[in-house]
Each structure stands twice: as structure tokens, then as C-alpha cells.
Amino acid sequence: MRILLINQYYPPDASSTAYLVGELAEDLARHHDVVVVAGGIGLAPLRPVIHELIAHRERYGEVSILYGGRAPSELLYVDELERWRGRFDVDVDVTVDVADGDWHGRVGVVPRLIPQAVFDPERVVAMMCGPEVMMRFAAAALQDRGVGDDRIWLSLERSMTCATGHCGHCQLGPLFICKDGPVLRRDVVEPLMRVAEL
Ligand code: FES
């Protein structure tokens, strides 16, 4: 069992989270299809991944971006979403839990976008960030399409306080998300996420 330590990917001269996550995306996903699954503010930490995918589009296969928010007014980076959607080489699907009068897009939770998303389950790498319940169902939907647990990566952003592995606020069973994550593979975290109150 391998736990990805994100610090492994932090070269000494890296000065930004965007660089860090972009490197991570390239390392994990080069030559693969990529599906990015984001819920709510979970799009923020995944945005550098999307920038990397678009900046070096030739390095990846199909690229799908699936994003959902509670309401249209809560969607992040709407202008960028529109730009990404306007490309011919990126598939973007957006949904909201509750529509308002001006919304003409999809209504429903993010995991419902997965059955029709454009990717080959045999060669896709999935990266997701959002509420834990969303990630649990999205990962299950990916599994239903035949995506292996070893190609599903979750970014867990539990309440962090010390960020040094001492206070225990971020603890998930034996894991300290601040030290052992926050990006972890599904086969590592899924059994722990199923335990109530953990
Ligand atoms: S934030 Fe304190 S142990 Fe992780």
C-alpha cells in the first residue's frame, strides 16, 4: 500500500501551490485520460491541475472536468469554466444541486455526471476534491465504470490546525491528513471514509 506524500513532489525551488499540483498532475497522469471531479470550493485546489492539463494538452488523452456547486451563485471561476468549455479538446460538465430562475444547465449532484463523462476507464486517472460525501459517491461511480482504486486520487481537506501532525484535528483513523496527505489514493482512504464519525 502506497501513500502519496505530497511533499515528495515539492522541489526545492518550487514557489507556488500551482507549480506543486501541476507537477503532481503530470507525474500521475501523463499519457492517460484525466477526469477532474470537483465539488464547491474543491475546484480551487484542482484549478492548477486543469491549468497544467490545458497548458500541456498534448501530454494527456481525453480530459474531462466535472464540477458541481450547491447553487449557480456558488460556482467558482465561472469565466474560466466557460473558456474551458469553449475548447474542442476538453469536456466540461457542470451541475448544481438547486437551480435558480436563470440556470439552464444540469441539476443534480456531481457523481451523476460520471456515467456519461468522456474517458476510457482502462486508462483514466481521476483527481477529485470536494465534500467527503461527494467524493465517496463519485469514487463509487468511477468504480462502477471500471476505474481501478489505484487510479482514483482524493484531496482531503479536513480541518487543519497545526499542519505538523501534532494536534490531531485532521486525523482520519491512523492517517494525519496534514502529513500523510492531503492527496491520497482511494484504496488507502476509502475504508476509513466509510467509518462514521472517524
Ligand atoms: S492539523 Fe494538526 S495533526 Fe494535522
Side-chain angles (χ1 to χ4, degrees), residues 121-167:
E122 298 288 326
R123 63 183 301 247
V124 74
V125 170
M127 301 183 190
M128 63 176 73
C129 187
E132 284 188 14
V133 64
M134 179 221 88
M135 290 198 285
R136 253 194 306 130
F137 282 100
L142 288 164
Q143 188 181 41
D144 287 346
R145 282 197 58 177
V147 182
D149 278 356
D150 60 336
R151 284 179 287 115
I152 300 174
W153 295 88
L154 298 83
S155 180
L156 298 180
E157 306 292 344
R158 295 203 140 201
S159 67
M160 303 218 195
T161 304
C162 72
T164 57
H166 287 97
C167 74

Side-chain angles (χ1 to χ4, degrees), residues 11-70:
D13 59 346
S15 58
S16 72
T17 303
Y19 179 88
L20 167 66
V21 180
E23 287 291 295
L24 182 65
E26 182 186 346
D27 188 64
L28 294 176
R30 194 164 182 165
H31 306 310
H32 289 76
D33 290 358
V34 184
V35 58
V36 175
V37 185
I41 59 171
L43 184 59
L46 287 171
R47 185 165 162 249
V49 170
I50 297 168
H51 289 168
E52 157 62 25
L53 297 173
I54 287 175
H56 302 106
R57 187 62 191 84
E58 73 287 353
R59 295 178 183 170
Y60 306 95
E62 301 283 357
V63 171
S64 287
I65 300 165
L66 312 179
Y67 177 46
R70 273 192 295 221

Side-chain angles (χ1 to χ4, degrees), residues 86-103:
R87 298 176 60 104
F88 294 110
D89 55 359
V90 176
D91 189 62
V92 178
D93 211 350
V94 178
T95 187
V96 295
D97 296 348
V98 181
D100 61 21
D102 294 330
W103 179 255

Side-chain angles (χ1 to χ4, degrees), residues 73-116:
S73 61
E74 295 187 25
L75 295 174
L76 303 184
Y77 311 120
V78 173
D79 291 346
E80 270 189 302
L81 283 166
E82 284 177 4
R83 276 206 302 280
W84 298 335
R85 203 206 291 265
R87 298 176 60 104
F88 294 110
D89 55 359
V90 176
D91 189 62
V92 178
D93 211 350
V94 178
T95 187
V96 295
D97 296 348
V98 181
D100 61 21
D102 294 330
W103 179 255
H104 300 291
R106 293 186 191 275
V107 177
V109 293
V110 184
R112 289 205 190 146
L113 302 178
I114 288 172
Q116 66 268 23

